[in-house]
Amino acid sequence: MRKSTTSCLCHILVCLCFIQRCYGASHHIPADKVTIAKNQTKLANGETEVHHRPKRGWIWNQFFVLEEHIGPDTQYVGKLHSNSDKGDGSVRYILSGEGAGSIFIINEVTGDIHATESLDRERKAHYVLHAQAFDRNTEKPLEPKSEFIIKVQDINDNAPTFPDGPFVAAVPEMSGVGVIRTALANMDREAREHYAVVIQAKDMAGSVGGLSGSTTINITLTDVNDNPPKFPQKNYQLYVPESAQVGKPVGKIKANDEDLGVNAEIKYSIINSEGAAMFSINTDRDTREGIISLKKPLNYERKKTYTLQIEGVNSHLEPLFSYLGPFKDTATLKITVGDVDEPPVFSMDYYIMDVYENARIGREVGAVTARDPDSKNSHVRYFIDHSEHSDKYFNIDMDSGVIKTTQSLDREDMPWHNITVIASEVDNPSLLSHVPVTVQVLDVNDNPPEINKDKEVIVCESSRPGQVIQTMTAVDKDDFANGQRFSFSLPSGVPVNPNFTLKDNEGIYCTQYHLCAFLMSFSSSALWLNLHPGFHIQPLNTRYPQILFL
């Protein structure tokens, strides 16, 4: 068979390297294993001429290289070989493209390709390169440039990761099962609040050689009301002085609750009548203490001790945990009242006394009494506070508390007097008590009646007999229990004018004058009637006289 020499030079065989993924071995295909398609033509002399179908000089497949190569030597990738290469070194192989000359190098004589670096498939999965064979002597290409791909083969070099870890989770204490299940029943936050759970993930379904990754989940048990309040002790004692102010705190008590927030809120109350009558208790929301305050004044001499039954109850209950109850506790508080040196105490909150006006100076008006409420029963002295009034109408005996007049009193001038009496202890004069005393001045009949003289009386000459011409009134500065009563009469020894009469209204504070006869004529001069000395009649003109008060 005759073959064309040029035809043989045009055909190049590329040795392919196939890497079995499971072992990572490289193989190349021998040239004698490559089947070359050709056409055959019989010549006239009976010889057969073989014609090769024109085609590219490279037969390609992919190259494979394992990632994460470890070792001092370069990693063999594959081999390029041209069928025009007779092994005499006349063919030079050139490599270009991604990573050529840096990551991938080629032996120009043998066509062997090596990787100089450890590759990472997760960063770059394949590289695109170009190969070309040149005649070393002429530097002319033996065929056009061809493209091929080197794929980086994956190995299990990355462990599973949890991208968002570590995680934080919260679950109520005493909870049932969850996605991350509780392994213990009735987990108690008060015993342990925080848990760190390590979660591990394995690839290759956990097979030998697989990699694993882990993360931590920090789990916090949240609080529920599963603990009742508890007083640290059952009996308490408190000292309160009798001088403690009403409405002010006198002490405090606290029950402990192992829960948190609203689950630990406690409401306190006094549950016995003896304690509730004298004291109150309220909850301080910040400290969760029961603040005890005084409702009524204390008196050591009357009662020296009080017993309080105090109850603390959770404000917010959870029915789910009612079986753990009752969610309350009680304690006994004994309060001892302390004796304090107190100021004197008057027998009354105020005093009202009376005295007749014009009573002699030094007349006893009344007495106040005060005593030392303390057990030592110190002697008490009395004083009148004269800072309120400049006039001193009264004084007081400092030992007996008897009040007497120092001046003559006039009811018409001042019917009431208000004074303040001060009591102090002899042993401790700084302790003072004050009491108001009101003195009423009683009336005596020491003022005569007074007749009103400010009005003029006009009498017409045509007036009829018996007609009332004037009503006279009188006043008296004195006081009468049933109203003022006067007796009116004309004074004896004074001649009576028959033209007028005076009628007494019997007890009423006024009387009337009546005209008894007509006055027929009057002179232009003054005509004096024989009336009461307090009156006279004077003509205003010739027709109308006027009765006037003298």
Side-chain angles (χ1 to χ4, degrees):
M1 180 176 63
R2 186 171 60 85
K3 298 182 180 179
S4 171
T5 304
T6 58
S7 175
C8 294
L9 292 175
C10 292
H11 294 282
I12 300 174
L13 176 64
V14 179
C15 296
L16 306 178
C17 295
F18 300 92
I19 300 175
Q20 296 184 8
R21 297 176 67 91
C22 58
Y23 300 105
S26 300
H27 305 276
H28 85 272
I29 302 174
D32 56 357
K33 296 294 181 67
V34 179
T35 302
I36 302 176
K38 59 181 179 291
N39 297 322
Q40 297 180 352
T41 304
K42 286 187 177 182
L43 301 177
N45 58 7
E47 295 182 359
T48 301
E49 183 178 12
V50 179
H51 300 279
H52 295 280
R53 185 177 61 186
K55 56 187 297 188
R56 295 183 61 165
W58 305 91
I59 299 177
W60 294 107
N61 208 327
Q62 296 175 343
F63 288 91
F64 294 90
V65 60
L66 290 176
E67 65 172 338
E68 306 295 345
H69 173 70
I70 300 175
D73 298 329
T74 58
Q75 183 180 6
Y76 181 70
V77 177
K79 185 180 182 67
L80 296 178
H81 186 72
S82 173
N83 58 2
S84 60
D85 188 355
K86 305 303 183 181
D88 55 2
S90 61
V91 177
R92 184 163 67 95
Y93 298 96
I94 300 299
L95 193 64
S96 62
E98 294 180 323
S102 57
I103 300 176
F104 302 103
I105 59 174
I106 189 170
N107 189 312
E108 296 183 351
V109 178
T110 64
D112 292 327
I113 301 174
H114 289 78
T116 61
E117 299 178 7
S118 177
L119 303 180
D120 188 354
R121 185 195 64 83
E122 287 71 31
R123 295 180 60 186
K124 188 171 180 63
H126 67 274
Y127 296 83
V128 179
L129 295 98
H130 301 87
Q132 194 169 16
F134 289 84
D135 187 306
R136 186 180 294 277
N137 297 319
T138 63
E139 291 298 327
K140 293 183 178 180
L142 299 178
E143 72 284 323
K145 183 183 296 185
S146 297
E147 181 179 277
F148 68 98
I149 296 175
I150 297 178
K151 283 193 172 183
V152 181
Q153 191 175 19
D154 184 43
I155 64 172
N156 191 10
D157 61 337
N158 290 285
T161 60
F162 295 88
D164 299 323
F167 301 90
V168 176
V171 60
E173 58 179 338
M174 315 296 288
S175 293
V177 297
V179 176
I180 296 179
R181 304 177 189 276
T182 54
L184 300 176
N186 299 326
M187 298 179 70
D188 190 0
R189 184 201 63 81
E190 288 72 31
R192 183 176 179 182
E193 184 175 5
H194 301 286
Y195 293 84
V197 179
V198 179
I199 305 297
Q200 185 182 58
K202 289 186 177 182
D203 59 13
M204 296 180 62
S207 301
V208 176
L211 300 178
S212 64
S214 62
T215 189
T216 300
I217 300 179
N218 295 312
I219 298 177
T220 300
L221 293 182
T222 58
D223 187 59
V224 298
N225 190 5
D226 59 341
N227 291 281
K230 207 73 174 177
F231 287 101
Q233 57 194 67
K234 285 298 182 182
N235 295 284
Y236 295 85
Q237 292 185 349
L238 179 65
Y239 172 84
V240 180
E242 62 177 334
S243 59
Q245 297 183 22
V246 174
K248 299 295 184 179
V250 296
K252 57 188 178 180
I253 191 171
K254 184 178 182 180
N256 298 324
D257 193 317
E258 296 181 352
D259 295 317
L260 299 175
V262 297
N263 296 322
E265 290 183 359
I266 302 173
K267 180 181 179 181
Y268 297 93
S269 59
I270 301 173
I271 59 177
N272 66 318
S273 58
E274 176 190 356
M278 291 294 296
F279 299 89
S280 63
I281 187 168
N282 295 289
T283 303
D284 187 315
R285 293 187 175 276
D286 296 327
T287 63
R288 296 197 176 100
E289 294 174 322
I291 307 301
I292 302 168
S293 301
L294 189 62
K295 292 173 65 176
K296 297 179 181 179
L298 296 173
N299 191 322
Y300 171 82
E301 288 70 29
R302 292 182 181 178
K303 189 172 177 60
K304 297 178 175 58
T305 60
Y306 292 88
T307 300
L308 279 64
Q309 295 293 329
I310 299 178
E311 182 180 69
V313 182
N314 275 144
S315 303
H316 303 274
L317 301 178
E318 294 190 24
L320 182 62
F321 306 106
S322 59
Y323 67 93
L324 298 174
F327 285 82
K328 61 182 179 181
D329 195 20
T330 58
T332 300
L333 174 63
K334 184 178 181 180
I335 294 180
T336 300
V337 180
D339 187 18
V340 176
D341 193 4
E342 300 173 275
V345 177
F346 284 95
S347 61
M348 300 175 64
D349 295 332
Y350 60 91
Y351 292 85
I352 298 178
M353 303 176 182
D354 56 59
V355 61
Y356 282 102
E357 62 178 336
N358 297 329
R360 60 181 176 81
I361 296 175
R363 178 68 179 268
E364 181 177 325
V365 178
V368 297
T369 57
R371 63 177 182 84
D372 180 8
D374 301 312
S375 57
K376 60 183 181 180
N377 196 20
S378 175
H379 184 67
V380 177
R381 288 182 175 176
Y382 305 93
F383 309 90
I384 291 179
D385 185 3
H386 290 294
S387 62
E388 298 180 357
H389 305 284
S390 59
D391 296 331
K392 299 180 180 179
Y393 291 95
F394 306 93
N395 64 12
I396 190 170
D397 186 277
M398 67 170 53
D399 294 317
S400 64
V402 174
I403 299 173
K404 297 180 180 181
T405 62
T406 60
Q407 299 182 32
S408 180
L409 303 177
D410 186 358
R411 188 201 66 84
E412 289 73 33
D413 181 48
M414 186 180 294
W416 296 89
H417 293 267
N418 295 311
I419 61 176
T420 300
V421 175
I422 302 172
S424 67
E425 294 181 10
V426 174
D427 295 339
N428 191 351
S430 62
L431 295 176
L432 304 176
S433 294
H434 299 73
V435 69
V437 177
T438 300
V439 178
Q440 180 184 13
V441 180
L442 302 178
D443 184 54
V444 296
N445 191 7
D446 58 346
N447 291 281
E450 295 180 1
I451 299 175
N452 190 349
K453 301 179 181 180
D454 296 335
K455 294 183 180 181
E456 295 181 348
V457 179
I458 298 174
V459 181
C460 297
E461 62 178 341
S462 60
S463 298
R464 299 186 305 273
Q467 181 178 344
V468 176
I469 61 173
Q470 179 65 35
T471 300
M472 308 303 296
T473 61
V475 294
D476 194 324
K477 293 181 180 180
D478 295 319
D479 185 23
F480 294 91
N482 297 317
Q484 294 180 343
R485 302 179 64 86
F486 301 106
S487 175
F488 293 87
S489 64
L490 293 175
S492 61
V494 178
V496 178
N497 192 316
N499 294 320
F500 298 93
T501 61
L502 177 66
K503 181 181 180 181
D504 187 0
N505 287 331
E506 297 182 357
I508 303 177
Y509 63 92
C510 61
T511 189
Q512 297 173 337
Y513 272 98
H514 297 260
L515 184 63
C516 297
F518 289 107
L519 299 178
M520 300 303 296
S521 64
F522 295 92
S523 67
S524 60
S525 62
L527 175 63
W528 294 92
L529 299 178
N530 188 16
L531 296 175
H532 187 280
F535 300 92
H536 75 273
I537 183 166
Q538 173 182 331
L540 297 177
N541 50 44
T542 57
R543 295 178 61 85
Y544 301 102
Q546 184 178 23
I547 297 179
L548 301 176
F549 294 110
L550 292 179

